[in-house]
């Protein structure tokens, strides 16, 4: 049963754990770029639980506690970054650096 079908933003992390019967439960961390600073939303894919921390520090512990308390999923806790998110970070960083270098060069030429 999927309680959450809402998509807030791109999935940047996915945390999973299993219960004693081997059923897997997961929580998605989604980032919404409409907020400044960017805000992460934790959404359980199995119930209506969600959390909106100001910053995601300590979020992994919050996710782990939810999975254990609400679903009994306290075994094999794993987390993974979404491949698309990781790939975009590797591309956007160098592109932004290149833009800054070009901007500095243009400013120096204009003087």
């Amino acid at each position: 049963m999927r309680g959450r079908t809402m998509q807030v933003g791109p999935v940047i992390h996915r945390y999973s754990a299993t219960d004693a019967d081997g059923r897997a439960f997961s929580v998605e961390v989604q980032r919404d770029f409409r907020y400044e600073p960017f805000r992460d939303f934790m959404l359980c894919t199995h119930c209506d639980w969600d959390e909106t921390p100001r910053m995601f520090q300590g979020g992994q512990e919050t996710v782990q506690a939810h999975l254990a308390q609400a679903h009994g999923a306290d075994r094999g806790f794993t987390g993974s970054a979404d491949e698309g998110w990781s790939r975009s970070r590797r591309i956007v960083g160098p592109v932004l650096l290149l833009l800054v270098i070009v901007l500095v060069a243009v400013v120096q030429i204009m003087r």
Side-chain angles (χ1 to χ4, degrees):
M1 178 174 105
R2 274 182 78 96
R4 273 281 188 210
T5 58
M6 180 177 85
Q7 182 75 14
V8 174
V11 175
I12 59 172
H13 288 93
R14 190 169 286 112
Y15 294 99
S16 301
T18 57
D19 64 5
D21 297 330
R23 291 177 297 187
F25 294 90
S26 61
V27 171
E28 293 179 345
V29 178
Q30 300 177 4
R31 177 150 298 162
D32 194 338
F33 292 98
R34 296 174 294 180
Y35 295 100
E36 191 63 40
F38 303 136
R39 187 169 295 168
D40 294 337
F41 296 88
M42 295 180 275
L43 305 170
C44 182
T45 59
H46 303 278
C47 68
D48 288 334
W49 179 83
D50 59 27
E51 183 85 17
T52 310
R54 185 80 173 120
M55 299 298 262
F56 195 64
Q57 296 164 342
Q60 183 174 343
E61 291 81 15
T62 303
V63 169
Q64 193 169 10
H66 167 73
L67 290 172
Q69 293 170 1
H71 303 292
D74 56 358
R75 299 169 184 218
F77 182 77
T78 60
S80 63
D82 183 68
E83 178 60 32
W85 175 256
S86 298
R87 189 175 334 120
S88 68
R89 289 181 67 194
R90 288 190 303 261
I91 294 169
V92 170
V95 168
L96 288 176
L97 179 62
L98 180 63
L99 287 174
V100 168
I101 292 170
V102 168
L103 182 62
V104 168
V106 168
V107 168
Q108 292 297 325
I109 292 171
M110 299 294 283
R111 284 187 170 181

